[in-house]
Amino acid sequence: MNVLGIETSCDETAAAVVSDGRLVRSSVVSSQIDLHARYGGVVPEIAGRAHVELLVPVVGEALAAAGTDRPDAVAATYGPGLIGSLLVGMSAAKALAMSWDVPFVGVNHLEGHLFAPVIEEPSLLWPLVVLLVSGGHTLLVLAKAPGRYRLLGQTLDDAAGEAFDKVARYLGLGYPGGPAIDRTAREGDPRAFSFPRALNDGSYDFSFSGLKTAVVRTAQRHPRAATCDLAASFQDAVVDVLVTKAARAVTDLGAKGLCLGGGVAANSLLRRRAPAAVDVPTYLPSMAMCTDNAAMIAAAGAWRLAHEGPSPLSLAADPNLFLTFDT
Amino acid sequence: MLLGIETAAECAGVALADDEGVRAVVWVRGERRHAETLAPAIGHVLEQGQASLADVDTVALDVGPGLFTGLRVGVATAQGLAQGLGIGVLGVTSVAVLAREVFDAGWRGQVAAVVDARRKEVFAARYAAPTEEIEPPARRTPAELAASLVAAGEDDLVVVGTGAQRYPELFAPLHVAAISAPSPAALVALAAGRLRGGEKPIPPGLLRPMYLREADARINWAQR
Ligand SMILES: [Zn+2]
């Protein structure tokens, strides 16, 4: 059973073919980073236009690399994300499914991320605590099994990756902010400044806007402060919060593993600190599986199709889609 | 068989045509919900026309100018169908489709097709006949366009489209047709004529919306 996955929720145009729910036959990602870099963030109208130009060749390449010209189903992200971008992938996916006379299935992008470890870790133990951190999302999820999730906490303001982007922009480090701060922080002293850690409320929710403001204020008050010290201290605070809450969740809920996902999971400090903070296995997906891709959408789509059947061709895109959690 | 897709305006529609002409038409009234209604509408039109997608050899699409989101839904759908079926696509403009409808009603003079572009602008083109474009589609201000049409003093000119209806006082001195949305039937008729005239469909990867406006480069963090 070959599922073609299509992902266009933000600034990556991606298509992939996955066999039997987990074997990646092909995975093609065309990033639009260069188109958005000069604006310091993703511009929705530019993203929508780029998806229209990139999707046909990306799908063609994914099919050719997988050696198929008629998959058995088509899965596409239907939310959350930028509405103008979601509509491109969804419309194309519905049309492809109609043209091949195969089922169409809509996939929640967040659930897609939760399938990254399913693809990469054959020996996955459940339940898992998943820390999903990117420019668009910051979630702490208890995954009891595929398709069975409980939301533990989420960001109350900025997404983690958004905080990286905004601070990087303020410090003049360019876009995207995650890799820029990661690189710059290597030269800096993480103890140079003590930034606030929003940890004290006992919940699993996150808040990064106070931290971002503190970095800006400190930079203004210390105009001669080294950028690398500011970056290192900021990164230390973010990672500290993420790791502390994730580790607490693992202990509190008796999880058998911790998994990272999303673009921020590529951060080198987070990848070093997370395994040290817990005494259960930590799954660190490959970089390609951390960032948005269509293999995870195809894998989640295969699971949805097998357990809940296809989606109607009238399925609407939902920019604010949540994960459906059971309690 | 030719499948036509219309998503440039508030009302989406699809039509199916064969060598003898239009075979079935489906209009969708769900305003601005093209992404939800288009795929089922394609299913309906095939059912009405007693055909299947395997019978379709070209997908014709209104590429705009018009509503950006609608255009992208239409282009992505046409691309997906054509890529999956291994066939070509033919893009026609919304203004040419509007003009075609006026000519089909028997009009023998000129037609100025004017589509509301919001932000106090319109997209407009002028035709002497269905395939004879005098002025290609362009973004104009309604006042300047109406003034130029009035000044031209053509008494054999009809104006058509949402742009003329949006600014009735400006276009009042001219004849305004009571047609606002480009129709899927006129779209397939226009596309079929162009194919008969020897035009070749293009590969789906080359199909592009006609925006006629630079991308709005604003970042809305809250939307992410
Ligand atoms: Zn993501």
Side-chain angles (χ1 to χ4, degrees):
Chain A
M1 165 100 175
N2 287 326
V3 176
L4 170 69
I6 292 180
E7 155 63 35
T8 62
S9 65
C10 193
D11 61 341
E12 323 275 7
T13 312
V17 176
V18 170
S19 289
D20 303 322
R22 57 175 304 164
L23 179 66
V24 181
R25 301 268 301 271
S26 65
S27 182
V28 180
V29 180
S30 175
S31 173
Q32 304 172 10
I33 283 178
D34 296 346
L35 293 178
H36 301 282
R38 54 186 282 231
Y39 303 104
V42 178
V43 182
E45 178 61 23
I46 290 175
R49 291 185 180 199
H51 286 306
V52 166
E53 298 187 6
L54 296 168
L55 192 54
V56 173
V58 165
V59 166
E61 201 182 323
L63 293 173
T68 176
D69 50 16
R70 188 181 175 277
D72 304 297
V74 184
T77 304
Y78 75 105
L82 299 168
I83 183 72
S85 293
L86 290 167
L87 290 177
V88 174
M90 278 247 295
S91 300
K94 288 177 180 178
L96 286 165
M98 285 180 87
S99 75
W100 292 319
D101 197 19
V102 299
F104 159 77
V105 61
V107 172
N108 183 317
H109 177 85
L110 301 171
E111 181 167 36
H113 276 296
L114 300 181
F115 270 81
V118 174
I119 291 173
E120 290 197 333
E121 297 288 344
S123 57
L124 207 59
L125 295 173
W126 309 85
L128 270 177
V129 164
V130 185
L131 174 67
L132 188 52
V133 272
S134 74
H137 12 275
T138 304
L139 299 179
L140 199 56
V141 175
L142 179 69
K144 297 174 197 169
R148 293 189 61 211
Y149 318 110
R150 194 171 120 206
L151 177 67
L152 302 173
Q154 57 191 324
T155 184
L156 303 173
D157 38 58
D158 290 351
E162 200 176 330
F164 273 95
D165 283 343
K166 287 178 176 175
V167 167
R169 193 179 185 186
Y170 183 79
L171 297 178
L173 297 175
Y175 175 85
I181 293 215
D182 200 343
R183 217 176 308 118
T184 310
R186 261 168 235 166
E187 321 287 315
D189 176 7
R191 273 168 216 85
F193 301 98
S194 168
F195 290 130
R197 280 128 165 97
L199 279 170
N200 39 10
D201 61 355
S203 84
Y204 295 120
D205 287 331
F206 302 94
S207 166
F208 297 107
S209 77
L211 171 58
K212 174 196 67 195
T213 311
V215 175
V216 171
R217 211 173 287 142
T218 303
Q220 285 165 344
R221 217 177 295 136
H222 306 272
R224 265 182 296 219
T227 302
C228 59
D229 287 344
L230 287 164
S233 303
F234 162 75
Q235 178 177 265
D236 199 71
V238 175
V239 169
D240 202 13
V241 172
L242 293 175
V243 168
T244 304
K245 297 219 174 197
R248 200 171 74 215
V250 168
T251 312
D252 289 357
L253 300 159
K256 297 211 174 86
L258 170 65
C259 179
L260 304 188
V264 177
N267 180 274
S268 62
L269 184 66
L270 180 59
R271 289 174 89 88
R272 224 166 40 239
R273 287 259 186 94
V278 292
D279 46 19
V280 294
T282 305
Y283 305 109
L284 302 171
S286 64
M287 299 295 180
M289 207 49 89
C290 284
T291 48
D292 290 351
N293 65 85
M296 67 185 196
I297 301 303
W303 191 90
R304 284 277 145 202
L305 200 57
H307 292 81
E308 274 154 32
S311 306
L313 289 174
S314 58
L315 182 71
D318 182 352
N320 304 309
L321 186 66
F322 290 102
L323 260 184
T324 321
F325 299 102
D326 55 16
T327 42
Chain B
M1 234 176 272
L2 183 61
L3 176 71
I5 298 177
E6 167 54 58
T7 55
E10 304 259 342
C11 242
V14 281
L16 193 64
D18 57 21
D19 294 340
E20 276 137 55
V22 178
R23 205 161 151 153
V25 175
V26 170
W27 277 99
V28 184
R29 281 241 167 263
E31 282 187 5
R32 306 251 242 129
R33 288 167 55 222
H34 300 348
E36 293 149 68
T37 56
L38 185 57
I42 292 169
H44 288 312
V45 88
L46 290 166
E47 209 175 292
Q48 293 295 315
Q50 293 178 317
S52 79
L53 279 177
D55 303 320
V56 174
D57 39 39
T58 305
V59 180
L61 174 76
D62 181 345
V63 294
L67 298 167
F68 292 173
T69 303
L71 296 183
R72 281 195 282 267
V73 167
V75 170
T77 302
Q79 285 177 334
L81 288 172
Q83 186 171 26
L85 296 168
I87 60 176
V89 291
L90 185 73
V92 299
T93 64
S94 58
V95 273
V97 175
L98 282 166
R100 166 79 192 212
E101 204 157 356
V102 177
F103 291 119
D104 279 357
W107 180 248
R108 289 293 165 267
Q110 287 189 24
V111 177
V114 188
V115 174
D116 182 22
R118 300 183 185 173
R119 302 188 208 170
K120 301 194 174 103
E121 291 179 321
V122 292
F123 301 123
R126 200 142 62 100
Y127 300 85
T131 50
E132 199 188 330
E133 200 171 74
I134 312 172
E135 283 170 18
R139 185 160 47 94
R140 316 270 295 261
T141 66
E144 172 263 327
L145 171 71
S148 77
L149 292 177
V150 172
E154 316 272 8
D155 51 3
D156 71 335
L157 175 84
V158 160
V159 186
V160 62
T162 50
Q165 291 166 347
R166 175 85 188 261
Y167 303 98
E169 66 292 348
L170 293 175
F171 291 90
L174 301 155
H175 306 292
V176 178
I179 299 165
S180 55
S183 93
L187 184 153
V188 283
L190 184 66
R194 281 175 40 184
L195 291 171
R196 273 197 306 275
E199 191 170 337
K200 293 272 168 283
I202 58 168
L206 300 180
L207 188 67
R208 298 280 182 273
M210 182 183 277
Y211 296 110
L212 295 184
R213 183 179 268 154
E214 288 298 305
D216 184 358
R218 259 180 319 186
I219 298 169
N220 186 348
W221 291 102
Q223 255 191 54
R224 298 187 61 187

